[in-house]
Amino acid sequence: MPSRNPGVIAQDWEPVVLQKKPNKASALRDPKAVNQAMRSGAPVQTIKKFDGGSNKKGGPVVSVKKLEEAAEPAALERVSTEVRQAIQKARLEKKMSQAELAKRINERPQVVQEYENGKAVPSQAVLAKMERVLGVKLRGKVGK
């Protein structure tokens, strides 16, 4: 077996201090550093940014001609008045509130309210659920 060196072992316990140096660019822009340089008479450079401090938005410029030539999206089809009235009439005949109908079809009350106000875009799935609960035909009338 190899033998170890029986010499004296010494340990070095000197503290090591690590310091993070500040960024040079951020240190130069620091208001304290700028004021110090101005007081001491050192040259201080100021640059005015283009539209700096203004409330303008620099969005893309679109020509009017392109806007006019572009095809406008068609308006979304809303629930027709016949369907709105049929839903409301059937719900009232069953003596249900909008919240109760919504609970039965597993939707939010806001959905039923939008259908009765004519603000909703008709969904075949929701209309089918309403037909089942209310016992009224609703989907044939939406296509008009």
Side-chain angles (χ1 to χ4, degrees), residues 112-143:
V112 175
Q113 184 180 7
E114 287 176 352
Y115 270 83
E116 286 189 7
N117 291 338
K119 295 179 182 177
V121 177
S123 165
Q124 296 301 318
V126 174
L127 288 173
K129 291 178 193 177
M130 284 185 184
E131 282 179 349
R132 222 174 299 124
V133 171
L134 297 173
V136 178
K137 185 167 173 27
L138 300 172
R139 287 184 284 181
K141 297 179 182 181
V142 176

PDB file of all heavy atoms in Angstrom, residues 112-143:
ATOM      1  N   VAL A 112     -78.597  32.170 -22.010  1.00  0.00           N
ATOM      2  CA  VAL A 112     -80.042  32.187 -22.236  1.00  0.00           C
ATOM      3  C   VAL A 112     -80.514  33.618 -22.439  1.00  0.00           C
ATOM      4  O   VAL A 112     -81.314  33.905 -23.334  1.00  0.00           O
ATOM      5  CB  VAL A 112     -80.782  31.518 -21.055  1.00  0.00           C
ATOM      6  CG1 VAL A 112     -82.284  31.649 -21.232  1.00  0.00           C
ATOM      7  CG2 VAL A 112     -80.382  30.068 -20.930  1.00  0.00           C
ATOM      8  N   GLN A 113     -79.977  34.529 -21.646  1.00  0.00           N
ATOM      9  CA  GLN A 113     -80.348  35.938 -21.763  1.00  0.00           C
ATOM     10  C   GLN A 113     -79.974  36.486 -23.132  1.00  0.00           C
ATOM     11  O   GLN A 113     -80.758  37.197 -23.759  1.00  0.00           O
ATOM     12  CB  GLN A 113     -79.652  36.734 -20.661  1.00  0.00           C
ATOM     13  CG  GLN A 113     -80.034  38.196 -20.630  1.00  0.00           C
ATOM     14  CD  GLN A 113     -79.320  38.936 -19.514  1.00  0.00           C
ATOM     15  OE1 GLN A 113     -78.448  38.399 -18.842  1.00  0.00           O
ATOM     16  NE2 GLN A 113     -79.694  40.174 -19.317  1.00  0.00           N
ATOM     17  N   GLU A 114     -78.791  36.143 -23.634  1.00  0.00           N
ATOM     18  CA  GLU A 114     -78.364  36.612 -24.958  1.00  0.00           C
ATOM     19  C   GLU A 114     -79.249  36.039 -26.060  1.00  0.00           C
ATOM     20  O   GLU A 114     -79.551  36.731 -27.031  1.00  0.00           O
ATOM     21  CB  GLU A 114     -76.900  36.244 -25.196  1.00  0.00           C
ATOM     22  CG  GLU A 114     -75.933  37.077 -24.383  1.00  0.00           C
ATOM     23  CD  GLU A 114     -74.495  36.636 -24.550  1.00  0.00           C
ATOM     24  OE1 GLU A 114     -74.246  35.572 -25.176  1.00  0.00           O
ATOM     25  OE2 GLU A 114     -73.611  37.345 -24.045  1.00  0.00           O
ATOM     26  N   TYR A 115     -79.659  34.781 -25.928  1.00  0.00           N
ATOM     27  CA  TYR A 115     -80.548  34.181 -26.926  1.00  0.00           C
ATOM     28  C   TYR A 115     -81.899  34.887 -26.935  1.00  0.00           C
ATOM     29  O   TYR A 115     -82.455  35.152 -27.996  1.00  0.00           O
ATOM     30  CB  TYR A 115     -80.727  32.675 -26.669  1.00  0.00           C
ATOM     31  CG  TYR A 115     -79.699  31.834 -27.370  1.00  0.00           C
ATOM     32  CD1 TYR A 115     -78.445  31.635 -26.818  1.00  0.00           C
ATOM     33  CD2 TYR A 115     -79.972  31.250 -28.597  1.00  0.00           C
ATOM     34  CE1 TYR A 115     -77.489  30.877 -27.463  1.00  0.00           C
ATOM     35  CE2 TYR A 115     -79.022  30.484 -29.261  1.00  0.00           C
ATOM     36  CZ  TYR A 115     -77.786  30.303 -28.684  1.00  0.00           C
ATOM     37  OH  TYR A 115     -76.839  29.562 -29.334  1.00  0.00           O
ATOM     38  N   GLU A 116     -82.438  35.209 -25.763  1.00  0.00           N
ATOM     39  CA  GLU A 116     -83.743  35.862 -25.702  1.00  0.00           C
ATOM     40  C   GLU A 116     -83.672  37.323 -26.111  1.00  0.00           C
ATOM     41  O   GLU A 116     -84.659  37.878 -26.574  1.00  0.00           O
ATOM     42  CB  GLU A 116     -84.338  35.724 -24.298  1.00  0.00           C
ATOM     43  CG  GLU A 116     -84.828  34.335 -24.022  1.00  0.00           C
ATOM     44  CD  GLU A 116     -85.616  34.225 -22.729  1.00  0.00           C
ATOM     45  OE1 GLU A 116     -85.899  35.257 -22.091  1.00  0.00           O
ATOM     46  OE2 GLU A 116     -85.948  33.086 -22.366  1.00  0.00           O
ATOM     47  N   ASN A 117     -82.511  37.960 -25.964  1.00  0.00           N
ATOM     48  CA  ASN A 117     -82.354  39.352 -26.386  1.00  0.00           C
ATOM     49  C   ASN A 117     -81.939  39.469 -27.846  1.00  0.00           C
ATOM     50  O   ASN A 117     -81.898  40.574 -28.383  1.00  0.00           O
ATOM     51  CB  ASN A 117     -81.328  40.074 -25.510  1.00  0.00           C
ATOM     52  CG  ASN A 117     -81.820  40.275 -24.100  1.00  0.00           C
ATOM     53  OD1 ASN A 117     -83.011  40.258 -23.848  1.00  0.00           O
ATOM     54  ND2 ASN A 117     -80.894  40.457 -23.172  1.00  0.00           N
ATOM     55  N   GLY A 118     -81.583  38.358 -28.485  1.00  0.00           N
ATOM     56  CA  GLY A 118     -81.176  38.379 -29.889  1.00  0.00           C
ATOM     57  C   GLY A 118     -79.744  38.796 -30.110  1.00  0.00           C
ATOM     58  O   GLY A 118     -79.365  39.146 -31.220  1.00  0.00           O
ATOM     59  N   LYS A 119     -78.933  38.759 -29.081  1.00  0.00           N
ATOM     60  CA  LYS A 119     -77.528  39.170 -29.205  1.00  0.00           C
ATOM     61  C   LYS A 119     -76.602  38.001 -29.492  1.00  0.00           C
ATOM     62  O   LYS A 119     -75.470  38.192 -29.906  1.00  0.00           O
ATOM     63  CB  LYS A 119     -77.073  39.861 -27.919  1.00  0.00           C
ATOM     64  CG  LYS A 119     -77.786  41.166 -27.656  1.00  0.00           C
ATOM     65  CD  LYS A 119     -77.305  41.788 -26.370  1.00  0.00           C
ATOM     66  CE  LYS A 119     -78.054  43.078 -26.083  1.00  0.00           C
ATOM     67  NZ  LYS A 119     -77.655  43.656 -24.810  1.00  0.00           N
ATOM     68  N   ALA A 120     -77.059  36.785 -29.273  1.00  0.00           N
ATOM     69  CA  ALA A 120     -76.199  35.604 -29.407  1.00  0.00           C
ATOM     70  C   ALA A 120     -76.098  35.158 -30.860  1.00  0.00           C
ATOM     71  O   ALA A 120     -77.024  35.331 -31.647  1.00  0.00           O
ATOM     72  CB  ALA A 120     -76.753  34.462 -28.565  1.00  0.00           C
ATOM     73  N   VAL A 121     -74.955  34.594 -31.193  1.00  0.00           N
ATOM     74  CA  VAL A 121     -74.781  33.921 -32.484  1.00  0.00           C
ATOM     75  C   VAL A 121     -75.304  32.507 -32.284  1.00  0.00           C
ATOM     76  O   VAL A 121     -74.840  31.797 -31.383  1.00  0.00           O
ATOM     77  CB  VAL A 121     -73.292  33.906 -32.892  1.00  0.00           C
ATOM     78  CG1 VAL A 121     -73.112  33.150 -34.191  1.00  0.00           C
ATOM     79  CG2 VAL A 121     -72.762  35.319 -33.017  1.00  0.00           C
ATOM     80  N   PRO A 122     -76.295  32.091 -33.071  1.00  0.00           N
ATOM     81  CA  PRO A 122     -76.943  30.802 -32.789  1.00  0.00           C
ATOM     82  C   PRO A 122     -75.996  29.614 -32.919  1.00  0.00           C
ATOM     83  O   PRO A 122     -75.244  29.502 -33.874  1.00  0.00           O
ATOM     84  CB  PRO A 122     -78.068  30.724 -33.825  1.00  0.00           C
ATOM     85  CG  PRO A 122     -77.729  31.723 -34.864  1.00  0.00           C
ATOM     86  CD  PRO A 122     -76.871  32.751 -34.236  1.00  0.00           C
ATOM     87  N   SER A 123     -76.047  28.757 -31.926  1.00  0.00           N
ATOM     88  CA  SER A 123     -75.275  27.527 -31.915  1.00  0.00           C
ATOM     89  C   SER A 123     -76.259  26.368 -31.984  1.00  0.00           C
ATOM     90  O   SER A 123     -77.222  26.320 -31.203  1.00  0.00           O
ATOM     91  CB  SER A 123     -74.447  27.439 -30.632  1.00  0.00           C
ATOM     92  OG  SER A 123     -73.974  26.139 -30.442  1.00  0.00           O
ATOM     93  N   GLN A 124     -76.028  25.452 -32.900  1.00  0.00           N
ATOM     94  CA  GLN A 124     -76.942  24.326 -33.076  1.00  0.00           C
ATOM     95  C   GLN A 124     -77.007  23.465 -31.817  1.00  0.00           C
ATOM     96  O   GLN A 124     -78.055  22.940 -31.465  1.00  0.00           O
ATOM     97  CB  GLN A 124     -76.524  23.483 -34.287  1.00  0.00           C
ATOM     98  CG  GLN A 124     -76.613  24.228 -35.613  1.00  0.00           C
ATOM     99  CD  GLN A 124     -78.023  24.729 -35.906  1.00  0.00           C
ATOM    100  OE1 GLN A 124     -78.996  24.021 -35.687  1.00  0.00           O
ATOM    101  NE2 GLN A 124     -78.123  25.942 -36.404  1.00  0.00           N
ATOM    102  N   ALA A 125     -75.895  23.342 -31.103  1.00  0.00           N
ATOM    103  CA  ALA A 125     -75.858  22.522 -29.891  1.00  0.00           C
ATOM    104  C   ALA A 125     -76.726  23.132 -28.795  1.00  0.00           C
ATOM    105  O   ALA A 125     -77.506  22.433 -28.140  1.00  0.00           O
ATOM    106  CB  ALA A 125     -74.420  22.373 -29.402  1.00  0.00           C
ATOM    107  N   VAL A 126     -76.614  24.440 -28.602  1.00  0.00           N
ATOM    108  CA  VAL A 126     -77.395  25.104 -27.564  1.00  0.00           C
ATOM    109  C   VAL A 126     -78.871  25.075 -27.927  1.00  0.00           C
ATOM    110  O   VAL A 126     -79.733  24.822 -27.080  1.00  0.00           O
ATOM    111  CB  VAL A 126     -76.903  26.561 -27.355  1.00  0.00           C
ATOM    112  CG1 VAL A 126     -77.800  27.305 -26.383  1.00  0.00           C
ATOM    113  CG2 VAL A 126     -75.470  26.560 -26.849  1.00  0.00           C
ATOM    114  N   LEU A 127     -79.177  25.326 -29.205  1.00  0.00           N
ATOM    115  CA  LEU A 127     -80.574  25.279 -29.641  1.00  0.00           C
ATOM    116  C   LEU A 127     -81.161  23.882 -29.451  1.00  0.00           C
ATOM    117  O   LEU A 127     -82.323  23.746 -29.071  1.00  0.00           O
ATOM    118  CB  LEU A 127     -80.693  25.733 -31.096  1.00  0.00           C
ATOM    119  CG  LEU A 127     -80.487  27.239 -31.339  1.00  0.00           C
ATOM    120  CD1 LEU A 127     -80.450  27.541 -32.827  1.00  0.00           C
ATOM    121  CD2 LEU A 127     -81.553  28.057 -30.651  1.00  0.00           C
ATOM    122  N   ALA A 128     -80.380  22.845 -29.708  1.00  0.00           N
ATOM    123  CA  ALA A 128     -80.857  21.471 -29.529  1.00  0.00           C
ATOM    124  C   ALA A 128     -81.168  21.197 -28.054  1.00  0.00           C
ATOM    125  O   ALA A 128     -82.179  20.572 -27.731  1.00  0.00           O
ATOM    126  CB  ALA A 128     -79.813  20.482 -30.036  1.00  0.00           C
ATOM    127  N   LYS A 129     -80.311  21.693 -27.153  1.00  0.00           N
ATOM    128  CA  LYS A 129     -80.566  21.514 -25.722  1.00  0.00           C
ATOM    129  C   LYS A 129     -81.853  22.224 -25.311  1.00  0.00           C
ATOM    130  O   LYS A 129     -82.658  21.684 -24.554  1.00  0.00           O
ATOM    131  CB  LYS A 129     -79.403  22.077 -24.902  1.00  0.00           C
ATOM    132  CG  LYS A 129     -78.110  21.312 -25.000  1.00  0.00           C
ATOM    133  CD  LYS A 129     -77.054  22.026 -24.165  1.00  0.00           C
ATOM    134  CE  LYS A 129     -75.664  21.554 -24.429  1.00  0.00           C
ATOM    135  NZ  LYS A 129     -74.671  22.318 -23.651  1.00  0.00           N
ATOM    136  N   MET A 130     -82.047  23.436 -25.828  1.00  0.00           N
ATOM    137  CA  MET A 130     -83.255  24.198 -25.498  1.00  0.00           C
ATOM    138  C   MET A 130     -84.499  23.498 -26.038  1.00  0.00           C
ATOM    139  O   MET A 130     -85.533  23.469 -25.378  1.00  0.00           O
ATOM    140  CB  MET A 130     -83.154  25.624 -26.055  1.00  0.00           C
ATOM    141  CG  MET A 130     -82.264  26.530 -25.293  1.00  0.00           C
ATOM    142  SD  MET A 130     -82.359  28.187 -25.970  1.00  0.00           S
ATOM    143  CE  MET A 130     -81.159  29.024 -24.986  1.00  0.00           C
ATOM    144  N   GLU A 131     -84.398  22.944 -27.258  1.00  0.00           N
ATOM    145  CA  GLU A 131     -85.530  22.208 -27.840  1.00  0.00           C
ATOM    146  C   GLU A 131     -85.925  21.042 -26.944  1.00  0.00           C
ATOM    147  O   GLU A 131     -87.107  20.798 -26.706  1.00  0.00           O
ATOM    148  CB  GLU A 131     -85.171  21.675 -29.233  1.00  0.00           C
ATOM    149  CG  GLU A 131     -85.222  22.705 -30.334  1.00  0.00           C
ATOM    150  CD  GLU A 131     -84.840  22.117 -31.679  1.00  0.00           C
ATOM    151  OE1 GLU A 131     -84.336  20.963 -31.739  1.00  0.00           O
ATOM    152  OE2 GLU A 131     -85.036  22.802 -32.689  1.00  0.00           O
ATOM    153  N   ARG A 132     -84.917  20.312 -26.459  1.00  0.00           N
ATOM    154  CA  ARG A 132     -85.166  19.146 -25.624  1.00  0.00           C
ATOM    155  C   ARG A 132     -85.867  19.526 -24.316  1.00  0.00           C
ATOM    156  O   ARG A 132     -86.832  18.898 -23.906  1.00  0.00           O
ATOM    157  CB  ARG A 132     -83.835  18.448 -25.316  1.00  0.00           C
ATOM    158  CG  ARG A 132     -83.917  16.950 -25.403  1.00  0.00           C
ATOM    159  CD  ARG A 132     -82.573  16.258 -25.236  1.00  0.00           C
ATOM    160  NE  ARG A 132     -81.602  16.647 -26.259  1.00  0.00           N
ATOM    161  CZ  ARG A 132     -80.396  17.166 -25.998  1.00  0.00           C
ATOM    162  NH1 ARG A 132     -80.005  17.362 -24.768  1.00  0.00           N
ATOM    163  NH2 ARG A 132     -79.584  17.482 -26.966  1.00  0.00           N
ATOM    164  N   VAL A 133     -85.395  20.593 -23.666  1.00  0.00           N
ATOM    165  CA  VAL A 133     -85.943  20.994 -22.377  1.00  0.00           C
ATOM    166  C   VAL A 133     -87.303  21.665 -22.532  1.00  0.00           C
ATOM    167  O   VAL A 133     -88.234  21.395 -21.769  1.00  0.00           O
ATOM    168  CB  VAL A 133     -84.950  21.935 -21.642  1.00  0.00           C
ATOM    169  CG1 VAL A 133     -85.571  22.537 -20.406  1.00  0.00           C
ATOM    170  CG2 VAL A 133     -83.691  21.180 -21.275  1.00  0.00           C
ATOM    171  N   LEU A 134     -87.433  22.542 -23.538  1.00  0.00           N
ATOM    172  CA  LEU A 134     -88.666  23.309 -23.699  1.00  0.00           C
ATOM    173  C   LEU A 134     -89.740  22.560 -24.488  1.00  0.00           C
ATOM    174  O   LEU A 134     -90.921  22.905 -24.404  1.00  0.00           O
ATOM    175  CB  LEU A 134     -88.367  24.647 -24.383  1.00  0.00           C
ATOM    176  CG  LEU A 134     -87.450  25.605 -23.615  1.00  0.00           C
ATOM    177  CD1 LEU A 134     -87.109  26.808 -24.463  1.00  0.00           C
ATOM    178  CD2 LEU A 134     -88.080  26.035 -22.305  1.00  0.00           C
ATOM    179  N   GLY A 135     -89.343  21.583 -25.283  1.00  0.00           N
ATOM    180  CA  GLY A 135     -90.297  20.832 -26.095  1.00  0.00           C
ATOM    181  C   GLY A 135     -90.822  21.642 -27.273  1.00  0.00           C
ATOM    182  O   GLY A 135     -91.977  21.474 -27.683  1.00  0.00           O
ATOM    183  N   VAL A 136     -89.992  22.523 -27.836  1.00  0.00           N
ATOM    184  CA  VAL A 136     -90.401  23.377 -28.960  1.00  0.00           C
ATOM    185  C   VAL A 136     -89.336  23.266 -30.051  1.00  0.00           C
ATOM    186  O   VAL A 136     -88.147  23.139 -29.764  1.00  0.00           O
ATOM    187  CB  VAL A 136     -90.483  24.851 -28.497  1.00  0.00           C
ATOM    188  CG1 VAL A 136     -90.855  25.764 -29.640  1.00  0.00           C
ATOM    189  CG2 VAL A 136     -91.475  25.000 -27.371  1.00  0.00           C
ATOM    190  N   LYS A 137     -89.775  23.324 -31.315  1.00  0.00           N
ATOM    191  CA  LYS A 137     -88.836  23.274 -32.437  1.00  0.00           C
ATOM    192  C   LYS A 137     -88.263  24.663 -32.647  1.00  0.00           C
ATOM    193  O   LYS A 137     -88.998  25.613 -32.871  1.00  0.00           O
ATOM    194  CB  LYS A 137     -89.556  22.792 -33.691  1.00  0.00           C
ATOM    195  CG  LYS A 137     -88.624  22.594 -34.880  1.00  0.00           C
ATOM    196  CD  LYS A 137     -89.337  21.839 -35.958  1.00  0.00           C
ATOM    197  CE  LYS A 137     -88.626  21.699 -37.264  1.00  0.00           C
ATOM    198  NZ  LYS A 137     -87.229  21.713 -37.329  1.00  0.00           N
ATOM    199  N   LEU A 138     -86.922  24.781 -32.591  1.00  0.00           N
ATOM    200  CA  LEU A 138     -86.252  26.080 -32.724  1.00  0.00           C
ATOM    201  C   LEU A 138     -85.311  26.153 -33.918  1.00  0.00           C
ATOM    202  O   LEU A 138     -85.107  27.213 -34.486  1.00  0.00           O
ATOM    203  CB  LEU A 138     -85.441  26.385 -31.455  1.00  0.00           C
ATOM    204  CG  LEU A 138     -86.202  26.468 -30.144  1.00  0.00           C
ATOM    205  CD1 LEU A 138     -85.236  26.581 -28.981  1.00  0.00           C
ATOM    206  CD2 LEU A 138     -87.167  27.645 -30.166  1.00  0.00           C
ATOM    207  N   ARG A 139     -84.735  25.039 -34.287  1.00  0.00           N
ATOM    208  CA  ARG A 139     -83.664  25.056 -35.304  1.00  0.00           C
ATOM    209  C   ARG A 139     -84.161  25.270 -36.706  1.00  0.00           C
ATOM    210  O   ARG A 139     -83.446  25.781 -37.545  1.00  0.00           O
ATOM    211  CB  ARG A 139     -82.820  23.802 -35.232  1.00  0.00           C
ATOM    212  CG  ARG A 139     -81.923  23.811 -34.014  1.00  0.00           C
ATOM    213  CD  ARG A 139     -81.046  22.638 -33.989  1.00  0.00           C
ATOM    214  NE  ARG A 139     -81.854  21.477 -33.562  1.00  0.00           N
ATOM    215  CZ  ARG A 139     -81.391  20.276 -33.412  1.00  0.00           C
ATOM    216  NH1 ARG A 139     -80.121  20.029 -33.674  1.00  0.00           N
ATOM    217  NH2 ARG A 139     -82.153  19.290 -33.002  1.00  0.00           N
ATOM    218  N   GLY A 140     -85.344  24.929 -37.042  1.00  0.00           N
ATOM    219  CA  GLY A 140     -85.848  25.133 -38.412  1.00  0.00           C
ATOM    220  C   GLY A 140     -86.081  26.598 -38.702  1.00  0.00           C
ATOM    221  O   GLY A 140     -86.000  27.047 -39.825  1.00  0.00           O
ATOM    222  N   LYS A 141     -86.296  27.403 -37.680  1.00  0.00           N
ATOM    223  CA  LYS A 141     -86.618  28.800 -37.860  1.00  0.00           C
ATOM    224  C   LYS A 141     -85.369  29.658 -37.982  1.00  0.00           C
ATOM    225  O   LYS A 141     -85.456  30.788 -38.451  1.00  0.00           O
ATOM    226  CB  LYS A 141     -87.460  29.304 -36.688  1.00  0.00           C
ATOM    227  CG  LYS A 141     -88.785  28.602 -36.582  1.00  0.00           C
ATOM    228  CD  LYS A 141     -89.563  29.117 -35.398  1.00  0.00           C
ATOM    229  CE  LYS A 141     -90.884  28.351 -35.279  1.00  0.00           C
ATOM    230  NZ  LYS A 141     -91.673  28.838 -34.153  1.00  0.00           N
ATOM    231  N   VAL A 142     -84.202  29.179 -37.546  1.00  0.00           N
ATOM    232  CA  VAL A 142     -82.975  29.970 -37.573  1.00  0.00           C
ATOM    233  C   VAL A 142     -82.506  30.232 -38.996  1.00  0.00           C
ATOM    234  O   VAL A 142     -81.965  31.272 -39.303  1.00  0.00           O
ATOM    235  CB  VAL A 142     -81.843  29.274 -36.761  1.00  0.00           C
ATOM    236  CG1 VAL A 142     -80.547  30.034 -36.863  1.00  0.00           C
ATOM    237  CG2 VAL A 142     -82.275  29.140 -35.322  1.00  0.00           C
ATOM    238  N   GLY A 143     -82.756  29.330 -39.911  1.00  0.00           N
ATOM    239  CA  GLY A 143     -82.260  29.445 -41.278  1.00  0.00           C
ATOM    240  C   GLY A 143     -82.927  30.520 -42.115  1.00  0.00           C
ATOM    241  O   GLY A 143     -82.484  30.826 -43.203  1.00  0.00           O
TER     242      GLY A 143
END
